[in-house]
Amino acid sequence: MTASTELPQGDIRLLETDTARRLLAANLPARLAFTAADGTPRVLPINFWWNGSELIMAGFAPSKKARMLRRHPDVAITIDTESAPPEVLLIRGRAEIHEIDGLAPEYALAMNKGGDEAAAERLEFLRAMAPRMERIVLRPTWVGVMDFRTRFPSGAPDWMKGA
């Protein structure tokens, strides 16, 4: 594997770094940023599942979110920790919406990441109630990773980077 410090921000191979892998497997919400119908920005927390090449999120159909994403499919995702120093994964790409009958398998996988028994009960309830879901699929075209130890924002001052 290429050392993460050798890869520039934007390189999708950053998804193979330890930091990215850890964040993609963690029981954390993604923050999905997109453009609303009125042209203003929106950010929503959303559960996700990483299948190795796509970030998959889901919602119940029909939704305003899916209508807006169909209209403006360019999105940005942030997955980050609250600890200090934080770890941050940034992903950009175009969202594709696919409607499916029943509960999206990736929705269930994302809900079960934490191993919470309440999630299993909620999923059973939703399986019985949800006739359709919208799978939001993102294939990364740009990736950034920051761990504030070896990788910093490009605009960080030299003193922060130890330079």
Side-chain angles (χ1 to χ4, degrees), residues 4-15:
S4 70
T5 54
E6 296 173 16
L7 297 173
Q9 297 288 28
D11 193 317
I12 61 170
R13 292 177 296 169
L14 286 168
L15 290 166

Side-chain angles (χ1 to χ4, degrees), residues 48-144:
F48 68 91
W49 183 256
W50 174 248
N51 69 10
S53 61
E54 301 167 322
L55 195 74
I56 302 170
M57 301 151 283
F60 299 100
S63 71
K64 283 184 175 182
K65 171 178 57 215
R67 282 195 307 272
M68 290 184 276
L69 289 170
R70 283 184 177 106
R71 189 177 210 179
H72 302 284
D74 293 318
V75 300
I77 298 280
T78 300
I79 304 167
D80 57 346
T81 63
E82 294 180 9
S83 59
E87 293 183 323
V88 181
L89 175 61
L90 306 168
I91 301 173
R92 296 180 203 157
R94 291 179 68 83
E96 294 178 11
I97 312 299
H98 306 277
E99 286 195 31
I100 64 166
D101 290 328
L103 202 66
E106 298 87 358
Y107 182 84
L109 290 167
M111 291 290 290
N112 282 319
K113 272 199 242 181
D116 183 5
E117 287 182 32
E121 291 174 17
R122 179 154 172 76
L123 285 169
E124 285 308 311
F125 170 77
L126 293 172
R127 273 190 185 91
M129 300 298 292
R132 294 189 62 69
M133 288 197 86
E134 296 158 331
R135 290 175 71 246
I136 303 164
V137 179
L138 175 65
R139 288 177 194 87
T141 58
W142 186 99
V143 176

